[in-house]
Amino acid sequence: MRILVVEDEKKVASFIKRGLEEENFAVDVAYDGDEGLYLAENNPYDVILMDLMLPKKDGLSIIRELRDKEITTPVLCLTAKDSVEDIVSGLDSGSDDYLTKPFAFGELLARVKALARRTAKDRGAEIYFADLRLDPVTHKVWRANKEIDLTSKEYGLLEYFMRHPNEVLTRAMIAEHVWDYTFDSFTNIIDVYVNYLRKKVDRDFDKKLIHTVRGVGYVLREG
C-alpha cells in the first residue's frame, strides 16, 4: 500500500516514513501544503497522513480541496492542537481520523491500518484473481490454497498487479506505486523483482499469470 505523509517537520516526517517502510508501506513525503496537495491530486494513495499547520497551504484547506474534487482517500490528521473545536473542524473538513502530537508510532500504525482496513472492506477484504487470493490486511497470499511466502516488495508488487488485472502496467507505474515517486524506473530492479515474484507465483503451475509485454511492462492475466 502507498502512503502520503504531509509534514513540514523533517525529523517527524523521517520518523514516520522510516517506521511505515519497515511495515512494508511505500511512502511519499511532502514538506509543505502546495506539494502535498499536488501529490495527493496526482497519485493514487491508500491513506494520507496530514499535518494541519503547514507552510504555503494548511492541512484543512488541502482536505477540503481534495473532497471538493471527489478524492476520497482516507486522511488521518496529525496536529499539536487537541481542543474539541479543532477536532470537529478537522472531521468536518472531510478527514477520517485525528491524532494529537506527540504520539507513539504504535498508535499511528494502528490508525493507519484501521483506515486501510476500511478501504479494503469497501473493495472486498480479500482480492481474488484466477486461483490467487490476497488478504490486504494480513499481507498473506495463496495460490490454489497454498500459501506463498513473499518479501515486502514482492507482496506490494503482487497487490498492485491484483488491483489492476488485465491492465498493462509500465515500469514507471510500478515504480511510483510500489516504491515511491523518487525511484528511478530506468534501473532494472523492477524486472528483477518481477522475476522473483514470477518464480514464486508461477513456477509450480502450468497456467502462468504474470506476463511480459515487450517494450512496455507487465500484465497479470490468464493465458
Side-chain angles (χ1 to χ4, degrees), residues 43-55:
N43 296 289
Y45 294 104
D46 296 286
V47 177
I48 297 172
L49 307 185
M50 181 73 67
D51 185 31
L52 296 187
M53 301 297 291
L54 294 165

Side-chain angles (χ1 to χ4, degrees), residues 155-206:
Y155 170 85
L157 182 59
L158 182 60
E159 182 184 26
Y160 188 44
F161 276 129
M162 291 184 69
R163 292 197 185 280
H164 300 272
N166 302 306
E167 179 181 339
V168 177
L169 303 177
T170 67
R171 290 170 179 80
M173 292 165 67
I174 293 170
E176 287 183 3
H177 192 90
V178 181
W179 277 263
D180 60 49
Y181 75 104
T182 62
F183 181 80
D184 182 3
S185 61
F186 291 100
T187 68
N188 71 341
I189 194 68
I190 292 173
D191 304 303
V192 170
Y193 270 92
V194 169
N195 285 331
Y196 288 158
L197 185 62
R198 184 179 272 145
K199 288 178 181 178
K200 294 184 178 182
V201 170
D202 281 341
R203 181 173 54 189
D204 297 331
F205 296 88
D206 293 333

Side-chain angles (χ1 to χ4, degrees), residues 16-221:
I16 294 172
K17 177 179 172 68
R18 184 171 62 252
L20 289 174
E21 287 178 338
E22 289 175 356
E23 294 292 327
N24 303 329
F25 293 100
V27 183
D28 295 340
V29 177
Y31 298 108
D32 63 62
D34 285 348
E35 183 184 15
L37 178 61
Y38 175 81
L39 290 176
E41 287 179 334
N42 290 281
N43 296 289
Y45 294 104
D46 296 286
V47 177
I48 297 172
L49 307 185
M50 181 73 67
D51 185 31
L52 296 187
M53 301 297 291
L54 294 165
K56 298 186 179 179
K57 186 183 293 288
D58 67 272
L60 293 182
S61 297
I62 296 171
I63 297 168
R64 291 191 186 99
E65 288 191 42
L66 293 176
R67 298 311 186 228
D68 287 344
K69 294 177 181 178
E70 298 185 351
I71 296 173
T72 59
T73 308
V75 177
L76 171 62
C77 290
L78 306 176
T79 180
K81 297 181 177 182
D82 60 357
S83 71
V84 173
E85 290 80 7
D86 293 325
I87 294 172
V88 170
S89 295
L91 296 175
D92 283 349
S93 70
S95 66
D96 298 88
D97 201 357
Y98 197 99
L99 188 59
T100 302
K101 298 178 181 178
F103 50 81
F105 180 76
E107 183 177 4
L108 173 71
L109 181 61
R111 302 287 186 95
V112 169
K113 287 184 175 180
L115 291 176
R117 280 196 297 271
R118 185 182 307 174
T119 57
K121 183 178 180 181
D122 291 341
R123 294 177 291 191
E126 292 188 345
I127 306 170
Y128 294 86
F129 180 82
D131 54 356
L132 273 175
R133 176 165 59 97
L134 181 147
D135 187 331
V137 176
T138 64
H139 286 193
K140 291 184 177 182
V141 175
W142 300 262
R143 181 161 187 190
N145 294 320
K146 179 182 178 182
E147 187 170 348
I148 302 172
D149 184 26
L150 300 178
T151 66
S152 61
K153 279 291 181 265
E154 291 166 354
Y155 170 85
L157 182 59
L158 182 60
E159 182 184 26
Y160 188 44
F161 276 129
M162 291 184 69
R163 292 197 185 280
H164 300 272
N166 302 306
E167 179 181 339
V168 177
L169 303 177
T170 67
R171 290 170 179 80
M173 292 165 67
I174 293 170
E176 287 183 3
H177 192 90
V178 181
W179 277 263
D180 60 49
Y181 75 104
T182 62
F183 181 80
D184 182 3
S185 61
F186 291 100
T187 68
N188 71 341
I189 194 68
I190 292 173
D191 304 303
V192 170
Y193 270 92
V194 169
N195 285 331
Y196 288 158
L197 185 62
R198 184 179 272 145
K199 288 178 181 178
K200 294 184 178 182
V201 170
D202 281 341
R203 181 173 54 189
D204 297 331
F205 296 88
D206 293 333
K207 181 184 290 186
K208 308 306 180 186
L209 299 178
I210 300 172
H211 301 271
T212 301
V213 180
R214 193 171 300 278
V216 182
Y218 299 94
V219 61
L220 182 72
R221 68 175 179 229

